[in-house]
Amino acid sequence: MIDVREIRDEELPGWIAVVQAGNAGEAGTVEDYLDWRRQAKDMAWLLAEQAGEPSGAAITIVGWHSPPGVGRGEVYVPPAARGRGVGSELYREVAIWVAARGCIELESSVREDDAESLAWVERRGFREVARNSRLVLDLEAVPEPAVDPPAGIEIVSWAERPGLERGMYEVALEAYPDIPGQADDEETSFEEWLSVDMQGAGDRPEATFVALSDGDVVGYGKLSFSNARPGVVMHDLTGVKRAWRRRGIAGALKRAEIAWAKRSGYTRLETMNEERNEPIRRLNERHGYRLEPGEVTLRAAILGPD
């Protein structure tokens, strides 16, 4: 018999160990998951047990960078526990949880090189809606680049120039909808954007760079961090106002991030790019990023609440 229950905060370390076992050793820290829950409208962590022993884990979310009516769930089953119905039971519980919160679709993601898991979710009605490639820069193999912004553009860190938040928010309002697959995401208020997107546990003002023209914000780029991966830093967003694109501003922001990460002793920079986002993919490739297996995002229809 498979029992699935929602865990308490104090059980997170054990839950994370199950996630790691089912996800090739990758998982966040307790701090990461607590902060992620703070950012979402609602979130739960589920644990599957058989005969009292952990056999799988899931995280389920609503209201975190998703369109209305779409909930998100990630399921992790260690190899030794697969083939027993654990994944199916966890997905069923996730679907019930998001449906109770008004969702009619469930979104999940699978590594694109995991053919077995992709076939498993497709047999259960999931269809591909996006594909994100992982691009990686070996910071030890590249020299520190000059930022070299275009004429009339100044690149500063948010820490150096506090008070630019409203201008950065205006950039976000134009940048987020232009990312393939995110056009239908709910627009957030300034206060929510500042708290959720810019002031999380993995966000640092000194690692957020802003492009200015005569003091006005025209773009920004930010890095993100996790204590679970020392030495690794991740690109979060590089955004430029539509009227200022194709002038080299995004490249200057990217070089500012690379230079900062290298000076700060990090060894690896990572980013996830949607395959349809050709401009940012080309930008990363020009700066020496190399392709690694990424993730496929899939959705399935579910029954709504009664």
Side-chain angles (χ1 to χ4, degrees), residues 18-42:
V18 180
V19 173
Q20 289 175 324
N23 194 37
E26 292 189 12
T29 64
V30 168
E31 181 187 34
D32 291 332
Y33 286 107
L34 289 173
D35 189 60
W36 193 5
R37 186 178 63 183
R38 178 191 67 83
Q39 296 175 36
K41 289 182 179 177
D42 203 355

Side-chain angles (χ1 to χ4, degrees), residues 15-145:
W15 179 88
I16 288 171
V18 180
V19 173
Q20 289 175 324
N23 194 37
E26 292 189 12
T29 64
V30 168
E31 181 187 34
D32 291 332
Y33 286 107
L34 289 173
D35 189 60
W36 193 5
R37 186 178 63 183
R38 178 191 67 83
Q39 296 175 36
K41 289 182 179 177
D42 203 355
M43 177 183 289
W45 307 302
L46 306 179
L47 182 69
E49 295 173 311
Q50 292 178 294
E53 292 296 321
S55 57
I59 184 169
T60 182
I61 312 157
V62 293
W64 189 80
H65 293 291
S66 59
V70 179
R72 185 167 184 86
E74 306 290 347
V75 169
Y76 309 98
V77 180
R82 293 175 187 172
R84 305 178 190 171
V86 176
S88 295
E89 189 64 19
L90 281 167
Y91 265 118
R92 189 181 76 84
E93 293 295 332
V94 166
I96 291 171
W97 190 92
V98 299
R101 287 152 181 81
C103 296
I104 59 173
E105 286 188 296
L106 175 62
E107 182 175 282
S108 192
S109 60
V110 177
R111 282 179 58 99
E112 64 180 348
D113 60 349
D114 186 349
E116 180 182 0
S117 295
L118 282 170
W120 189 92
V121 294
E122 287 169 356
R123 288 196 302 271
R124 284 156 178 81
F126 284 82
R127 69 190 189 283
E128 180 176 336
V129 295
R131 189 174 288 255
N132 289 278
S133 300
R134 186 190 302 270
L135 290 160
V136 176
L137 182 66
D138 181 355
L139 290 168
E140 296 179 312
V142 297
E144 180 180 325

